Amino acid sequence: MKEIIKNPSENRTDSFDKFVFYACVIDTLFLPYFWLISVPYTMPLTFYWLLRRYKKLNESKEYKLFLIIFIFMSISTMFSFILAPQYIYKNLVYLIQFTTMFLYYFIFVYYLNQFDFKGKNFLIVFIVSVVLLAVFYNIDKSFYHKVVLFWNHRSGISINELSYANFVGYRYSFIWMDANNIGYMMNAIVLYLWCNEKTSFFTKTFSLLSLLFVLISCMSNGGFLVFIFNIIVFIIVELVQLLKGKYKLKFRITPTSLFLFLITVLSLLYIIPQIPKYLETGVALEALERIDRNSGDSRIRIWQFIIQKVNFLEYIFWGKGGVTLVDGSKFSPHNGHFYWILGYGFISYVLFMYLIFRKRKRTGLKQYIWVLSILIGFTVNILLGEIKMMGIVMLLVACSSSQKYLEARDS
């Protein structure tokens, strides 16, 4: 049998790609932001990887589309230096952040198209880490505060430390910037695991309970709405498959699923008797109160204000940078669509939506419904400022797009 032996240079190339890929995966899932600005530690590594791989990337249609987006982003950022010189630094940071976000996608796709990767294991560990930190949050908010301040200096709690002094009513945000973002991301990951990976009933149960626990902790109204929407969509998709005769009942026991099942059973034995008491705790009461008093009216009023004040014809080709300006003043649109159009123009917005949110031909409809969680969050919030979250989104998009990954998953 003829053996294929790689030469030393090819081995070094594979090792470099493997190092960059796993460094980026671990960074986006588990590591904090750089202590000075809100960028990942692997950001410089992504640009170095690009310098070494740009010739191969030039063969990709998606990479050429990204270059067009980058040109409009750069022009918009340069215009912002003239229109709002006070925001030069922030606009440069946003340009670097969003460029890094796209580079994550190309790194992930490039690697997954050539090498094996067990994404499910990383996502389960991520869920466990989010839940563990949420446990600390529910038991002792002050301790949670200290852990987050120690681990992630750029967290929302850290940046607003003075506002949180002697106050323990803040929401659970994991180690990220915004509490809503972990709610949307957990929804997306759980639905991705259910629909895209081979997960047992035990793993599904564990992930579902974890999601509910995190949603209560982060008190995200949008997260709860997405959860209800996901459950409805998932049931509809399963019923359609059942009617088409494509549904297959699978019952697999693996060491991981058995371990998660035991944790779930033990947790339920402890949690169920505590539910009445938990609903009377500060965390649960704050979450219920927030759901009761919040509505979508405030978002709609903000969007109506933007529509009335902004001449969108000015934003066809380029925008005014990552800091959103309305009537010359800084303004939060609470909408990712408006944010990108006002920041970088309508053309780059269309290409941006095409790269991230479109369903690939090789990916089944069921395997891509997880992205609806992110699309809803992108619509009622912004999400883009949470570059760690967007890195995970890019990983899931890459896993849902890579022919090699899909074939390995189905085998």
Side-chain angles (χ1 to χ4, degrees):
M1 181 177 178
K2 183 178 179 180
E3 294 182 354
I4 300 176
I5 302 176
K6 292 184 178 181
N7 62 48
S9 63
E10 289 177 322
N11 289 330
R12 287 195 296 270
T13 299
D14 292 351
S15 298
F16 170 72
D17 289 321
K18 184 175 183 179
F19 170 75
V20 172
F21 174 80
Y22 280 99
C24 291
V25 170
I26 293 172
D27 188 14
T28 55
L29 286 170
F30 306 111
L31 298 185
Y33 289 107
F34 181 62
W35 68 274
L36 187 60
I37 57 176
S38 302
V39 297
Y41 281 95
T42 49
M43 184 268 291
L45 189 61
T46 63
F47 286 91
Y48 177 61
W49 179 88
L50 177 64
L51 290 175
R52 293 187 57 170
R53 293 289 176 268
Y54 76 93
K55 290 184 179 179
K56 292 185 177 180
L57 289 178
N58 278 328
E59 302 171 2
S60 166
K61 174 185 174 182
E62 289 189 327
Y63 179 70
K64 293 175 181 177
L65 293 178
F66 159 69
L67 290 179
I68 297 174
I69 296 174
F70 179 74
I71 290 171
F72 284 117
M73 288 171 60
S74 300
I75 293 174
S76 301
T77 302
M78 287 189 288
F79 272 125
S80 73
F81 296 164
I82 301 172
L83 298 172
Q86 68 272 31
Y87 297 122
I88 288 178
Y89 173 75
K90 286 189 175 181
N91 281 321
L92 278 174
V93 171
Y94 284 129
L95 178 63
I96 294 172
Q97 277 188 334
F98 298 145
T99 302
T100 303
M101 174 183 72
F102 285 113
L103 292 182
Y104 275 139
Y105 172 69
F106 292 112
I107 289 170
F108 296 150
V109 168
Y110 182 88
Y111 183 87
L112 293 175
N113 282 335
Q114 300 181 74
F115 307 102
D116 294 330
F117 173 64
K118 300 295 184 182
K120 179 177 71 173
N121 297 335
F122 280 87
L123 295 177
I124 290 175
V125 173
F126 175 78
I127 291 175
V128 171
S129 65
V130 173
V131 169
L132 286 177
L133 197 56
V135 170
F136 290 140
Y137 166 83
N138 280 270
I139 294 176
D140 188 342
K141 286 187 178 180
S142 297
F143 178 72
Y144 162 75
H145 189 172
K146 293 176 183 177
V147 170
V148 174
L149 287 177
F150 173 78
W151 184 243
N152 188 7
H153 184 70
R154 296 297 300 177
S155 68
I157 291 176
S158 179
I159 292 174
N160 299 287
E161 187 173 0
L162 293 177
S163 301
Y164 287 117
N166 301 317
F167 175 67
V168 292
Y170 48 85
R171 299 154 60 195
Y172 175 65
S173 58
F174 186 43
I175 58 171
W176 290 353
M177 309 294 290
D178 190 301
N180 291 308
N181 294 339
I182 190 60
Y184 293 122
M185 193 70 255
M186 282 288 290
N187 269 297
I189 288 177
V190 169
L191 194 58
Y192 172 87
L193 286 173
W194 287 10
C195 298
N196 291 57
E197 302 287 348
K198 294 180 179 179
T199 51
S200 66
F201 170 78
F202 305 140
T203 304
K204 285 183 173 67
T205 303
F206 168 78
S207 61
L208 176 62
L209 294 174
S210 299
L211 172 58
L212 288 172
F213 180 59
V214 172
L215 288 178
I216 292 174
S217 300
C218 70
M219 307 178 200
S220 172
N221 293 328
F224 278 109
L225 290 175
V226 170
F227 169 74
I228 295 171
F229 176 81
N230 283 349
I231 292 297
I232 294 173
V233 171
F234 180 76
I235 291 174
I236 292 174
V237 170
E238 291 293 299
L239 288 175
V240 169
Q241 287 199 323
L242 181 62
L243 293 174
K244 289 183 177 180
K246 295 182 178 180
Y247 190 85
K248 296 180 180 179
L249 184 62
K250 296 179 180 180
F251 191 82
R252 300 171 64 247
I253 298 179
T254 64
T256 302
S257 64
L258 184 60
F259 175 71
L260 292 175
F261 175 71
L262 291 175
I263 291 179
T264 303
V265 171
L266 292 175
S267 299
L268 286 175
L269 291 175
Y270 173 77
I271 291 172
I272 290 176
Q274 305 296 324
I275 289 178
K277 295 180 181 179
Y278 180 72
L279 292 176
E280 297 177 358
T281 63
V283 173
L285 290 174
E286 285 179 40
L288 293 172
E289 181 183 352
R290 192 169 188 277
I291 292 173
D292 183 60
R293 70 171 181 263
N294 278 11
S295 68
D297 293 344
S298 60
R299 290 285 196 277
I300 294 174
R301 286 196 297 269
I302 291 172
W303 301 339
Q304 287 176 337
F305 176 79
I306 293 174
I307 293 172
Q308 292 169 358
K309 292 291 184 179
V310 173
N311 179 10
F312 285 93
L313 293 177
E314 298 177 2
Y315 296 89
I316 293 177
F317 296 102
W318 43 72
K320 298 180 180 179
V323 176
T324 304
L325 299 176
V326 176
D327 273 356
S329 301
K330 185 178 178 182
F331 186 84
S332 178
H334 289 282
N335 180 288
H337 307 275
F338 285 141
Y339 175 82
W340 196 275
I341 292 171
L342 298 180
Y344 303 113
F346 187 77
I347 293 177
S348 71
Y349 161 76
V350 172
L351 297 178
F352 166 82
M353 295 294 291
Y354 176 81
L355 279 178
I356 297 181
F357 293 109
R358 84 181 191 279
K359 188 190 82 67
R360 276 64 173 178
K361 290 182 179 179
R362 64 178 66 95
T363 308
L365 181 61
K366 178 183 177 181
Q367 283 70 41
Y368 217 65
I369 59 175
W370 68 267
V371 83
L372 294 175
S373 303
I374 305 303
L375 182 59
I376 294 173
F378 182 73
T379 301
V380 300
N381 285 86
I382 294 179
L383 306 188
L384 293 169
E386 195 76 72
I387 190 63
K388 293 284 187 179
M389 174 183 180
M390 294 309 298
I392 301 173
V393 171
M394 292 303 186
L395 175 62
L396 299 186
V397 172
C399 290
S400 301
S401 309
S402 168
Q403 186 67 41
K404 179 179 175 59
Y405 186 87
L406 293 174
E407 291 174 352
R409 180 203 64 191
D410 296 334
S411 61

